[in-house]
Amino acid sequence: MRRSLLATAASLALSLPVLADQRFEVTLAGHAMLPGATLLAPPADAPEYFYLSGRFTGASRVEQPGSVPSVTLPGYGARPTGLSLPFQGQPLQGFSGIKPAGDGSYWVTGDNGFGNRRNSPDALLMIHRIRPDFGAGSVAVERTIFLSDPNRVAPFLVATEATPSRYLTGADFDPESLQPLPDGTFLVGEEFGPYLLHFDGEGRLLRIVETRLDAEVLRSPDHHALSIPPQPGATIPFRARRSGGYEGLALTPDGRTAWAMLEQPLFAAGENRSEGAFLRVLEFDVGRMEWTGRTVRFRLAEGATAIGDFNFIDERRALVIERDNGEGDPSLSCAQGIESTHERPCFANPARVKRVTLVDMGSTDAEGFVRKIGHVDLMAIRDPQSIARHRGDRAPGAEETVLRFPFFTIENVAMVDADHIIVGNDNNLPFSAGRHLSRVDDNELVLLRVPELLRAH
């Protein structure tokens, strides 16, 4: 009887409302990875030009494959990552949004290639269907869909304008989130506009949806309608930040409504300052393919600078990745006044804030902020059974029963079942080295047991 009463009490406790942004425990249940240096051949009908990628990632064009050693992004110590550009093939990298396909596989989207419009005109845009095997620790790529615009939907010049196939590249768009729709098409959140992009099941562009906030068309400095003015000092009208577009796109379970969440705060109207430490979340009617005009706000956790992904788990509650801009284990951070060098690397900007937050989209306060229910810390994943495939570089004596997920960009989260979520990184190939000091990041997926988080309301 006593055991029965205790079990009942525990069950009730898990279903009671959480009064604040409570931290819950997280335990590793699986760890799988796709090697960072995974390359694909372009489609057979693509120009031969695309058999090489990454020509434009330096100060000038480079055509010799593997001739330029890669280092980490500016601000991370210029550490070598072990790969060299250009690549022979198209990199399968940058998973920036995930959605379960219902059979143990997942849809994921790649991003724009190498980080911006200028350096990615030879990087093709793709959607993949992948299947992680957490027992073997591997990830199979079951299908790749190359995105294209054969019907000339884009109202601007695309990089492959004069070709019959008109495959889209990282100079055209930057996909960062996706939702498969009930009719077999895909809705993609994009950063250059920022736009919502609608593709058919074969990756052909159907429409581009401009962002509207109230009566304003919301633009980033990479919006295709903007250009550098002829006079120095002139202003360019935009409020969304560069690389601050739709990192999160969540679809309600009924498939009727999508909520698009910006990655970073907007600039205040007409000013060179943030409007606040919060993100705009805009409601979109999928049936009409139009914005509804309704918006809410997501308040960033202390120390967080951006979000990485956004997915519903039921009709009201959703998961959001919050992150800072750091990468690497804090135990190997560079000491004050010490810089990372090739001979003595260290993490110049280590990871601190990496978490998955549960929100109630059906509950907002008087200022329009959605209620945060609770979160789990991705820098403190319990691993009592030593499931982790590797823990990366860290200081001697570090906790052996804890896995950190110390990546610059963590951009994939979804519910797997009533007890588990899946989380994955964007490895920014070949520029991120957050797991190891001098080795490019793999595409990692972790299966996390978080029953208390998923039951909280």
Side-chain angles (χ1 to χ4, degrees):
M1 175 64 75
R2 177 176 173 79
R3 181 174 298 174
S4 176
L5 288 174
L6 288 173
T8 300
S11 175
L12 287 173
L14 290 178
S15 64
L16 289 175
V18 176
L19 300 179
D21 184 8
Q22 180 177 331
R23 176 177 168 178
F24 295 97
E25 282 194 348
V26 51
T27 303
L28 187 65
H31 193 184
M33 57 195 66
L34 184 72
T38 299
L39 300 171
L40 302 175
D45 61 342
E48 185 178 356
Y49 167 80
F50 290 109
Y51 279 89
L52 197 68
S53 62
R55 298 174 177 85
F56 306 100
T57 54
S60 60
R61 179 188 191 119
V62 177
E63 289 286 343
Q64 180 61 39
S67 60
V68 181
S70 295
V71 297
T72 48
L73 295 166
Y76 296 91
R79 292 173 284 117
T81 66
L83 294 182
S84 296
L85 291 161
F87 294 137
Q88 290 183 298
Q90 291 289 320
L92 195 156
Q93 58 93 337
F95 295 168
S96 295
I98 193 167
K99 190 63 179 285
D103 62 349
S105 67
Y106 297 84
W107 290 106
V108 295
T109 181
D111 57 21
N112 88 311
F114 301 105
N116 58 61
R117 286 180 63 185
R118 182 194 65 79
N119 69 11
S120 300
D122 56 7
L124 293 171
L125 304 185
M126 316 171 207
I127 293 172
H128 309 283
R129 189 163 180 160
I130 62 171
R131 185 178 299 273
D133 183 337
F134 290 110
S138 59
V139 179
V141 181
E142 296 186 338
R143 185 185 179 195
T144 294
I145 300 172
F146 289 91
L147 304 182
S148 64
D149 183 24
N151 297 317
R152 293 174 166 76
V153 174
F156 47 79
L157 182 79
V158 301
T160 60
E161 186 72 34
T163 68
S165 54
R166 290 175 55 88
Y167 285 107
L168 295 170
T169 75
D172 305 316
F173 297 110
D174 183 6
E176 293 288 347
S177 50
L178 92 162
Q179 289 292 335
L181 299 181
D183 62 0
T185 63
F186 296 95
L187 192 63
V188 171
E190 193 271 346
E191 288 205 319
F192 289 163
Y195 307 114
L196 291 187
L197 307 177
H198 189 204
F199 295 93
D200 71 13
E202 299 301 317
R204 295 175 292 236
L205 187 63
L206 298 174
R207 59 172 55 82
I208 298 175
V209 182
E210 290 266 21
T211 297
R212 294 187 177 275
L213 180 64
D214 300 326
E216 177 185 7
V217 175
L218 197 63
R219 292 171 172 170
S220 88
D222 289 317
H223 190 284
H224 293 84
L226 301 181
S227 60
I228 298 174
Q231 296 87 21
T235 60
I236 300 177
F238 62 87
R239 288 187 62 193
R241 295 174 185 269
R242 171 165 285 143
S243 192
Y246 293 126
E247 197 71 51
L249 182 65
L251 185 69
T252 54
D254 61 12
R256 296 179 179 178
T257 305
W259 285 92
M261 184 183 295
L262 294 169
E263 180 181 11
Q264 300 179 62
L266 294 176
F267 288 106
E271 300 184 49
N272 186 20
R273 65 174 181 85
S274 171
E275 68 173 354
F278 64 88
L279 308 177
R280 299 281 188 158
V281 194
L282 291 73
E283 187 183 48
F284 185 76
D285 186 306
V286 173
R288 295 188 295 118
M289 283 287 155
E290 294 179 359
W291 301 104
T292 69
R294 183 185 174 202
T295 65
V296 297
R297 301 180 179 193
F298 176 87
R299 194 188 310 277
L300 287 167
E302 183 176 357
T305 57
I307 63 100
D309 201 10
F310 175 37
N311 262 314
F312 277 96
I313 66 172
D314 60 26
E315 67 277 3
R316 289 180 58 131
R317 296 177 301 150
L319 300 168
V320 182
I321 295 174
E322 297 187 79
R323 64 167 181 85
D324 61 12
N325 289 329
E327 72 174 10
D329 195 302
S331 69
L332 288 178
S333 62
C334 301
Q336 188 171 2
I338 303 298
E339 294 185 2
S340 181
T341 65
H342 280 50
E343 294 75 24
R344 298 186 63 184
C346 54
F347 291 118
N349 181 15
R352 304 286 183 185
V353 181
K354 312 289 182 182
R355 64 184 235 169
V356 175
T357 299
L358 181 67
V359 299
D360 183 353
M361 290 294 293
S363 176
T364 57
D365 65 15
E367 297 178 276
F369 287 99
V370 298
R371 184 171 71 90
K372 288 187 172 183
I373 299 171
H375 70 277
V376 295
D377 185 356
L378 298 177
M379 295 295 287
I381 301 169
R382 297 172 62 249
D383 184 20
Q385 299 180 355
S386 297
I387 292 173
R389 295 291 162 178
H390 57 68
R391 301 180 194 279
D393 292 332
R394 52 196 183 146
E399 180 69 58
E400 289 295 328
T401 59
V402 171
L403 175 69
R404 299 186 192 275
F405 215 59
F407 301 105
F408 166 32
T409 43
I410 304 172
E411 300 188 353
N412 307 273
V413 66
M415 186 175 72
V416 176
D417 56 36
D419 292 333
H420 298 89
I421 62 174
I422 189 170
V423 173
N425 67 317
D426 168 4
N427 69 341
N428 298 304
L429 193 78
F431 304 119
S432 280
R435 178 66 76 194
H436 299 274
L437 284 162
S438 301
R439 198 184 93 192
V440 70
D441 286 330
D442 296 316
N443 296 290
E444 293 192 27
L445 294 169
V446 286
L447 183 67
L448 303 179
R449 188 173 186 275
V450 290
E452 291 83 5
L453 177 75
L454 295 175
R455 287 164 175 72
H457 286 82

